[in-house]
Amino acid sequence: MTGDHNVTHLHPPSTAPTALAVLLALVVIGGLIAWYSGDDDSDMPPLAATVEYTPSEDDCDGWTFPGKKPEDIPVPPGKPTAEWAHQHGGIDDSITRLRLVVQGMNSHDVVLHNLRVVEQRKAPLPPAGTDVALALGCGGDLPERNYRVMLGSDSPDFEVVTRKDGRLSVIQKPFGYKVSATDPEIFAIEANAAVDDDFTQCDCLITWKLALDWAHKGKQGTLIVDDKGAPFQTKSTELNSPYPSVVKRDGSWK
């Protein structure tokens, strides 16, 4: 549910008005940015938001290419990225990592009330395929000041997670922030296909979007954040796949 107040989309449907005075969407390297007019009389939220995929610090990222052999997957000129993988039909394997930057459009504070997972749907795992990884056998945990959500649970909620001395802990801090034109907030998000803290996998493909609830000068609304109009996709790890897991070495899959 997204609430009964003003709901807008970071990437609106193609049938939405395209006048530049209302919305200007700009594709930028590594993500997508949408600027809103921020006028008091406008129905659009007084926010600017960017969302981009972010690799983990220890290269623990990977994607599954359903039904494809290694020779069916083009080798990227540089390091594999989430954007490259999605372009060629890859799906995030176990974890989707995002960086969400939110900024107000004027000097008045915009209060951010909540960040939620919406339109969450579970489907059977796609056909087995080749797994492309940045590194084989990697490990590690979240860096400090991240938001984590277990997508596989029936009621996924965001948690503030910190790592200290190699140990992971959840901070009991309610969501609540203020942003303005000069004071943005940055949210590093790890969306995990696991069901619980034991990282029990859901054995499913999860599609989902984000909803950011805001309030500004007596108005309130919800901004829907997705992947260029489509839902994000995160699948649980498929064991005993007949296809290999590969990494890029010397310009080919090894």
Side-chain angles (χ1 to χ4, degrees):
M1 296 293 292
T2 55
D4 56 2
H5 47 244
N6 180 30
V7 177
T8 53
H9 294 256
L10 183 61
H11 310 109
S14 58
T15 55
T18 57
L20 292 181
V22 177
L23 171 66
L24 176 62
L26 299 173
V27 177
V28 295
I29 296 175
L32 194 146
I33 180 169
W35 291 95
Y36 296 92
S37 64
D39 296 335
D40 289 343
D41 295 332
S42 172
D43 290 332
M44 304 304 292
L47 298 174
T50 67
V51 60
E52 62 181 6
Y53 292 95
T54 53
S56 65
E57 294 182 353
D58 48 10
D59 281 349
C60 283
D61 294 293
W63 307 273
T64 295
F65 292 78
K68 291 186 177 182
K69 300 177 181 179
E71 56 266 30
D72 298 328
I73 305 171
V75 180
K79 193 174 184 178
T81 65
E83 291 80 7
W84 162 84
H86 299 164
Q87 180 183 357
H88 295 283
I91 299 173
D92 297 337
D93 199 352
S94 299
I95 297 173
T96 297
R97 291 183 174 89
L98 302 173
R99 185 173 183 264
L100 177 64
V101 182
V102 184
Q103 185 174 7
M105 292 301 294
N106 53 47
S107 59
H108 299 285
D109 287 340
V110 180
V111 178
L112 308 179
H113 285 303
N114 197 13
L115 182 64
R116 301 174 285 128
V117 171
V118 294
E119 299 185 35
Q120 177 202 26
R121 294 179 175 86
K122 298 179 182 179
L125 286 171
T130 297
D131 289 336
V132 173
L134 293 181
L136 297 179
C138 67
D141 248 320
L142 292 174
E144 292 187 356
R145 295 187 64 184
N146 277 254
Y147 275 81
R148 182 184 68 176
V149 60
M150 296 302 190
L151 293 171
S153 65
D154 293 332
S155 300
D157 292 319
F158 279 96
E159 301 172 318
V160 184
V161 183
T162 185
R163 180 183 178 191
K164 185 176 182 180
D165 298 329
R167 306 188 70 176
L168 196 68
S169 60
V170 177
I171 301 174
Q172 301 300 322
K173 179 184 183 301
F175 191 94
Y177 300 88
K178 293 181 179 180
V179 296
S180 67
T182 57
D183 187 18
E185 285 285 350
I186 301 174
F187 304 101
I189 297 170
E190 180 187 277
N192 200 307
V195 175
D196 49 35
D197 283 338
D198 293 329
F199 293 97
T200 303
Q201 294 294 309
C202 71
D203 293 326
C204 64
L205 171 66
I206 303 174
T207 59
W208 53 283
K209 298 182 180 182
L210 293 173
L212 182 64
D213 299 326
W214 58 268
H216 174 69
K217 300 181 70 174
K219 296 181 180 180
Q220 61 180 353
T222 299
L223 178 65
I224 303 298
V225 179
D226 54 30
D227 185 12
K228 301 177 183 177
F232 301 110
Q233 297 187 87
T234 313
K235 66 172 285 292
S236 62
T237 301
E238 186 172 14
L239 300 177
N240 301 319
S241 171
Y243 294 89
S245 294
V246 299
V247 296
K248 180 186 175 183
R249 288 183 187 152
D250 300 324
S252 63
W253 300 124
K254 303 287 187 177

